[in-house]
Amino acid sequence: MEEARERMLIEKVKSGDMEAFEELLFHYEKPIYTICLRLLKDEEEAMDAAQEVALKLWKQLHLFKYKSKLSTWIYRLTTNQCLDQLRKWKHKKDISLFQQDTHKKEEWIFEKPDEEISIEKQIEQKELQAILQQALMELKEDYRTILVLRDIQHYAYEEIAEVLNITLGTVKSRLSRARGALKKVLEQNKEPYQSFFRLKR
Amino acid sequence: MKCKHCIERLSEYYDNQLNSKEQQQIEAHLGTCTYCQEEWRKWKFILEEVHHLEEVPVPENLHERMLAGVKKEQSKELIDKNHKTFTKYWYNRSWIKVTGSVAAVFILVITLSQQGGFFRKESKTESGVEPLTVAPYEAQSMITESVGPQTRMAIPEEQNIPEAASAANHADTQANQKREGTIKQDNQAVVEQWVVTNKDQKSLLETLQTYSIEQGFTLFMEQEDVGTEGIYLTGVNDKQALKTFLEERGAEVQITVQEAGKDLKLFLQTGQ
């Protein structure tokens, strides 16, 4: 969305224009939901978080003063919402997606189904994703967040620095450690990780 | 370049964050070191797979579900806004601000009954009492501050209720920015109510009027039912202080309905 249009929509939302808000929401809802799902793993929790983010966006947009990009502001809202939810439920043990929710794997439908890929391949892909998601959940929240923002959402280092309110140097070092940690998790000699490197696209 | 140094840089190398010199060093090392080559291969494999995690199963009704809470909130905000508009309108329709003595109230009643309830604008009389005029509604902004003990009536100007509403709403919108407030779920105009028992209602009322000016809150007397001693107060910042004030003047104050907020309805009754 071009900046001028976005600015116009923001001003309209500030004066209570729901139609303008809906247009903004269309633009950001998928990345918001994606971040929530990857940070929280559970679809229901992710939806709860996404709904909270939408509500906060509506209620707090009047505080937005164009000091950063709107996207940065929204993603900061999103990551903070997820981190808040995670901290609330920290006493709960992480449910293993692989071990306990195996039926959920079948519900994961890729958006770009490639008919040329065999069924076997498709299952392999789903397994890879499931394993990766579980590995992500084993990481501490700071690492998981920065991986989601960089390697899933592809945000620039500068934007990540703004979203997380850290320096560029911290982004680089934290990302490096997060990726290293993810690799360590995936290299563990236990299921489901043992099969990770064998499964290939 | 040592392996440890190379591996530490792989993350930045992957994102093209290294300067050209460092980049060349990494590439040169990767060209010769099989251990680091394997590490690099794993890095790429993992991160390429992580990229694919962007492909999430998005629920079909994501937009509607995210919007549902927002629309509910918008309805609440609109109801609250209308509730406040209605309340102010209702107050202003039925109540007249009294900034002078009680006598002014009786004069008003006589004037109105003579006019048969029909209001029209008139100029000031010599006594300084301005007869009530015009429309049954008045805007909040028209209520003037009282100056001294002179008996006055607020003269409402002709205004349409939407203007009045918008004038009231403007302040409300500012207040509502914080989205706080005691919004009653049932949208009723519930107000804290006190029964004030005292010997000399006239005197107490006079004192209360003076006190209201000092404290900066507004006092309304019911136009149609003068004699029931129902008095509305709005903008009372310190209700406890008011209660103490009344009690110090010999009144007995009983809180019959307790509510948050700065509005109060007092029922004066005579007693010992």
Side-chain angles (χ1 to χ4, degrees):
Chain A
M1 194 188 299
E2 60 167 19
E3 211 179 300
R5 180 164 185 83
E6 192 167 82
R7 201 172 254 256
M8 178 202 73
L9 290 175
I10 293 168
E11 289 308 310
K12 281 188 167 184
V13 173
K14 284 185 183 184
S15 49
D17 188 336
M18 180 55 80
E19 236 178 79
F21 181 79
E22 283 205 53
E23 190 178 329
L24 275 181
L25 190 65
F26 265 122
H27 196 71
Y28 288 104
E29 63 197 19
K30 190 165 172 286
I32 291 171
Y33 180 75
T34 304
I35 294 172
C36 293
L37 187 61
R38 292 309 177 197
L39 286 179
L40 302 173
K41 182 213 70 188
D42 184 79
E43 279 159 21
E44 209 180 297
E45 282 181 29
M47 184 55 83
D48 285 346
Q51 286 172 326
E52 267 307 307
V53 172
L55 188 59
K56 280 185 180 164
L57 191 56
W58 170 255
K59 283 170 137 178
Q60 294 178 19
L61 199 57
H62 65 278
L63 295 171
F64 181 70
K65 296 200 186 339
Y66 301 99
K67 285 184 180 168
S68 64
K69 290 195 311 191
L70 181 66
S71 58
T72 310
W73 196 79
I74 291 177
Y75 301 141
R76 188 185 297 149
L77 256 179
T78 311
T79 50
N80 286 342
Q81 177 64 32
C82 293
L83 293 174
D84 284 347
Q85 265 177 239
L86 283 169
R87 279 168 207 142
K88 242 198 276 178
W89 299 322
K90 214 171 179 128
H91 65 280
K92 281 191 189 172
K93 278 191 178 177
D94 266 352
I95 297 168
S96 157
L97 178 70
F98 192 86
Q99 281 150 17
Q100 291 188 18
D101 291 12
T102 44
H103 67 279
K104 274 197 174 178
K105 287 197 292 177
E106 280 118 40
E107 291 168 31
W108 289 34
I109 301 156
F110 290 126
E111 282 184 60
K112 304 173 207 167
D114 187 346
E115 285 162 10
E116 289 176 16
I117 297 177
S118 69
I119 302 288
E120 196 187 325
K121 266 285 180 210
Q122 287 184 42
I123 293 171
E124 273 183 11
Q125 285 169 5
K126 287 183 191 179
E127 280 189 44
L128 268 173
Q129 296 257 319
I131 295 168
L132 256 176
Q133 182 63 49
Q134 182 172 343
L136 259 184
M137 297 313 290
E138 285 199 32
L139 298 178
K140 63 176 190 168
E141 290 143 12
D142 285 355
Y143 285 177
R144 194 184 319 149
T145 307
I146 204 167
L147 280 173
V148 168
L149 293 177
R150 176 65 195 175
D151 292 321
I152 298 178
Q153 296 297 125
H154 313 297
Y155 300 144
Y157 276 35
E158 291 76 13
E159 192 164 21
I160 295 172
E162 269 199 75
V163 170
L164 298 179
N165 203 25
I166 54 180
T167 66
L168 204 58
T170 308
V171 173
K172 290 182 183 179
S173 57
R174 191 182 294 180
L175 187 59
S176 181
R177 286 199 297 273
R179 286 165 164 173
L182 181 64
K183 185 166 166 287
K184 274 208 180 88
V185 170
L186 291 168
E187 284 174 336
Q188 288 176 95
N189 193 20
K190 65 176 190 184
E191 286 298 341
Y193 306 118
Q194 284 172 327
S195 43
F196 180 76
F197 290 100
R198 288 200 303 273
L199 293 163
K200 282 191 170 108
R201 282 185 181 269
Chain B
M1 179 180 263
K2 292 195 173 159
C3 291
K4 183 170 177 261
H5 189 78
C6 174
I7 287 164
E8 277 170 8
R9 292 284 176 283
L10 283 180
S11 177
E12 288 177 69
Y13 176 64
Y14 185 83
D15 290 333
N16 293 316
Q17 292 285 320
L18 298 175
N19 63 45
S20 55
K21 185 185 168 193
E22 282 180 311
Q23 200 162 322
Q24 279 167 20
Q25 283 176 340
I26 300 276
E27 281 164 0
H29 184 84
L30 286 177
T32 59
C33 174
T34 50
Y35 176 76
C36 289
Q37 274 173 25
E38 179 60 15
E39 288 297 294
W40 175 233
R41 189 192 72 80
K42 282 183 181 171
W43 267 107
K44 284 196 291 181
F45 180 73
I46 292 168
L47 293 178
E48 274 161 25
E49 288 309 316
V50 173
H51 286 329
H52 291 292
L53 287 180
E54 195 187 11
E55 299 155 9
V56 304
V58 175
E60 262 176 35
N61 54 356
L62 177 66
H63 183 77
E64 287 70 32
R65 287 179 73 178
M66 281 178 77
L67 209 51
V70 178
K71 292 213 156 152
K72 210 170 156 189
E73 177 67 22
Q74 191 199 31
S75 303
K76 254 174 66 183
E77 289 166 9
L78 288 172
I79 287 167
D80 180 43
K81 208 159 135 175
N82 290 335
H83 157 72
K84 288 196 173 179
T85 309
F86 177 78
T87 308
K88 282 202 160 60
Y89 168 63
W90 182 251
Y91 284 179
N92 294 329
R93 185 190 177 94
S94 309
W95 309 89
I96 300 162
K97 179 184 171 184
V98 175
T99 55
S101 70
V102 178
V105 176
F106 292 117
I107 291 169
L108 170 69
V109 171
I110 293 160
T111 312
L112 288 175
S113 59
Q114 282 175 347
Q115 292 176 356
F118 172 74
F119 302 121
R120 63 181 187 281
K121 205 163 189 168
E122 289 183 24
S123 53
K124 273 192 192 183
T125 64
E126 281 171 17
S127 67
V129 175
E130 297 155 352
L132 186 67
T133 68
V134 197
Y137 28 75
E138 66 185 53
Q140 190 76 2
S141 53
M142 289 183 292
I143 294 174
T144 54
E145 302 281 290
S146 167
V147 181
Q150 187 183 15
T151 303
R152 283 183 60 194
M153 291 295 171
I155 301 182
E157 294 162 18
E158 284 187 19
Q159 274 200 15
N160 293 323
I161 190 63
E163 283 178 27
S166 64
N169 275 345
H170 180 68
D172 281 339
T173 311
Q174 302 297 324
N176 276 342
Q177 287 295 328
K178 294 189 179 171
R179 311 280 198 258
E180 285 174 2
T182 52
I183 302 168
K184 300 287 175 241
Q185 289 298 324
D186 57 357
N187 299 318
Q188 298 295 313
V190 184
V191 163
E192 181 158 319
Q193 294 174 26
W194 295 356
V195 171
V196 180
T197 312
N198 70 315
K199 290 181 207 169
D200 188 351
Q201 288 188 33
K202 180 182 162 186
S203 155
L204 186 73
L205 194 58
E206 282 173 3
T207 328
L208 188 57
Q209 283 157 7
T210 313
Y211 185 70
S212 74
I213 295 159
E214 284 164 10
Q215 298 299 315
F217 60 83
T218 311
L219 197 149
F220 297 77
M221 290 233 4
E222 194 165 357
Q223 170 193 334
E224 289 150 17
D225 286 315
V226 173
T228 61
E229 281 79 41
I231 305 168
Y232 267 84
L233 311 180
T234 63
V236 182
N237 288 318
D238 193 341
K239 289 192 278 196
Q240 187 53 49
L242 174 62
K243 187 164 178 283
T244 310
F245 173 85
L246 293 169
E247 284 166 345
E248 277 169 4
R249 271 139 198 81
E252 187 192 292
V253 180
Q254 194 192 350
I255 301 175
T256 51
V257 175
Q258 189 149 33
E259 286 295 334
K262 298 183 181 179
D263 297 354
L264 276 175
K265 184 168 183 181
L266 305 187
F267 296 92
L268 299 192
Q269 63 183 26
T270 317
Q272 286 184 354

